[in-house]
Amino acid sequence: MGRETNVLHIWGNKESMNLNPMILTNIQSSTYFKQKLFELKTYHEVIDEIYYRVTHLEPWEKGSRRTQGLTGMCGGVRGVGGGGIVSTAYCLLYKLYTLKLTRKQVIGLITHKDSPYIRGLGFMYVRYTQNPQDLFSWFCDYLDDEEELDVKAGGGMVISIGQMLRKWLIRLEWFDTLFPRIPVPIQNEIMDALRERYGNCIDSNAFYENGLIMKRSPPPELNEVLRDERKRLRKSRSRSADGSRERKERRRRRSPSREKSPKRSSDRSSSHRHKHESRKKDSRSRSRSRDSSSERRHRRKHKHSRHHKSHRRDDHSSERTESIRNGKKRSHDE
């Protein structure tokens, strides 16, 4: 990144400073920003206000944000569903943005000696407004900075400046909001630079011990990313193994052993016989019903009595001829 000029160009959305829309709306509508910060006109006045008023770097004040029952894009980390009281730190961060800081002023913020919160807001200004390609060059000299600050609203999360910057380079999440996304190729370059600097091995020991760097092992943030990746792979493998076991078990239940026993074969043959007989009976009954139904249809079709008398006459004549033939046969035999 060229530092030859004092003009600091803004990357991304120049109207919103790349802030979350809900946070920006709350900042612009807050009484503190519209009244108190409106009176501050100079860079040094804003720095004094940061020194006296900022106690954490969260976007929302403690207990003011309601995320219970919100899901999806309205849930916690997205910061778009349920608002709250926006923090003093973020109001002052946006106030700094309205002053159109120069490069020299931003460097003055991140190297300030009076308060770690002044430095923290300076680094946050860089993270929100500068090109992702330049982030590592802005942060690289401070990745091992040992100065500590409590970043959580209400206290309870004390980390060093170096740890905070490494976290901002690796993760987008920052409490209940997101930093601007870093493109994948640039993110890969940052990860390669971190691995080159701290090594590839996973070390569970603290990166700092008694304020001194004992060994150049990967920082906790890098370890977390690698551990999460390994856990995800292990879970996917275990799920696939469990799924194959369940499928085998289901197949085994559906297709029991087919060993034939004498009793089973006799039962099968008897049941087969019964089925065959019942089918025969059914076919006979069906044929009878078909005959009777055809006769009924015939009668309905030919309603005249003469027609049916002719049938009877034909039947009787056929019977008579049959009896004559039978009588002739008998006499011939005798």
Side-chain angles (χ1 to χ4, degrees), residues 10-54:
I10 303 300
W11 174 84
N13 191 327
K14 294 178 174 58
E15 294 179 4
S16 67
M17 189 190 156
N18 302 310
L19 286 169
N20 182 284
M22 177 64 76
I23 293 174
L24 181 62
T25 303
N26 277 266
I27 290 171
Q28 292 171 340
S29 61
S30 69
T31 308
Y32 175 66
F33 181 78
K34 289 191 292 185
Q35 295 181 6
K36 176 66 178 174
L37 296 186
F38 182 75
E39 297 171 1
L40 306 180
K41 303 296 182 183
T42 66
Y43 167 76
H44 295 288
E45 286 176 339
V46 177
I47 286 181
D48 289 341
E49 186 71 11
I50 295 170
Y51 180 82
Y52 288 112
R53 297 293 299 270
V54 175

Side-chain angles (χ1 to χ4, degrees), residues 191-207:
M191 295 299 286
D192 290 340
L194 288 172
R195 288 192 184 99
E196 186 180 345
R197 182 171 180 141
Y198 298 111
N200 262 329
C201 61
I202 298 295
D203 192 349
S204 60
N205 298 327
F207 185 64

Side-chain angles (χ1 to χ4, degrees), residues 36-269:
K36 176 66 178 174
L37 296 186
F38 182 75
E39 297 171 1
L40 306 180
K41 303 296 182 183
T42 66
Y43 167 76
H44 295 288
E45 286 176 339
V46 177
I47 286 181
D48 289 341
E49 186 71 11
I50 295 170
Y51 180 82
Y52 288 112
R53 297 293 299 270
V54 175
T55 57
H56 65 86
L57 296 181
E58 270 201 63
W60 306 99
E61 293 296 343
K62 183 184 178 183
S64 67
R65 181 161 166 72
R66 299 283 179 267
T67 57
Q68 192 172 7
L70 300 176
T71 57
M73 288 293 289
C74 297
V77 79
R78 293 291 177 183
V80 297
I85 300 171
V86 71
S87 67
T88 306
Y90 267 70
C91 287
L92 285 160
L93 177 67
Y94 190 69
K95 179 63 181 180
L96 287 170
Y97 180 71
T98 61
L99 297 176
K100 309 291 185 199
L101 299 182
T102 63
R103 188 181 302 278
K104 185 178 178 181
Q105 287 172 330
V106 173
I107 292 170
L109 284 173
I110 63 180
T111 57
H112 209 281
K113 302 293 183 186
D114 291 347
S115 168
Y117 294 104
I118 297 173
R119 298 185 66 200
L121 282 180
F123 286 119
M124 194 175 281
Y125 185 90
V126 171
R127 182 65 182 85
Y128 272 110
T129 63
Q130 294 307 291
N131 194 321
Q133 202 163 3
D134 300 331
L135 289 178
F136 191 79
S137 60
W138 273 102
F139 291 171
C140 64
D141 295 337
Y142 307 97
L143 291 176
D144 299 326
D145 197 304
E146 299 172 22
E147 187 172 11
E148 293 183 339
L149 71 168
D150 196 340
V151 295
K152 187 177 176 63
M157 191 174 177
V158 178
I159 60 174
S160 68
I161 295 281
Q163 284 175 313
M164 182 178 73
L165 296 182
R166 292 195 299 267
K167 190 178 183 70
W168 290 358
L169 287 174
I170 292 170
R171 296 188 180 277
L172 295 181
E173 296 86 358
W174 180 247
F175 293 99
D176 289 337
T177 188
L178 294 174
F179 284 124
R181 192 181 70 84
I182 299 174
V184 173
I186 298 171
Q187 185 67 62
N188 292 337
E189 289 176 10
I190 290 171
M191 295 299 286
D192 290 340
L194 288 172
R195 288 192 184 99
E196 186 180 345
R197 182 171 180 141
Y198 298 111
N200 262 329
C201 61
I202 298 295
D203 192 349
S204 60
N205 298 327
F207 185 64
Y208 295 102
E209 191 172 323
N210 299 326
L212 299 172
I213 300 174
M214 303 304 293
K215 49 185 167 183
R216 305 289 275 185
S217 59
E221 293 80 13
L222 190 58
N223 290 344
E224 284 175 16
V225 172
L226 295 170
R227 281 196 201 104
D228 292 345
E229 187 65 22
R230 289 185 176 183
K231 279 181 186 175
R232 189 180 62 76
L233 289 171
R234 275 201 299 270
K235 279 182 184 177
S236 64
R237 284 174 193 155
S238 64
R239 278 176 194 156
S240 62
D242 293 341
S244 63
R245 277 194 221 105
E246 286 175 6
R247 283 194 294 274
K248 283 178 184 175
E249 186 66 23
R250 272 192 236 112
R251 281 195 214 107
R252 192 179 62 76
R253 284 176 191 156
R254 283 176 192 163
S255 57
S257 60
R258 297 179 178 273
E259 295 176 2
K260 290 185 179 180
S261 63
K263 185 181 176 183
R264 201 167 171 187
S265 61
S266 63
D267 291 345
R268 280 183 183 170
S269 61

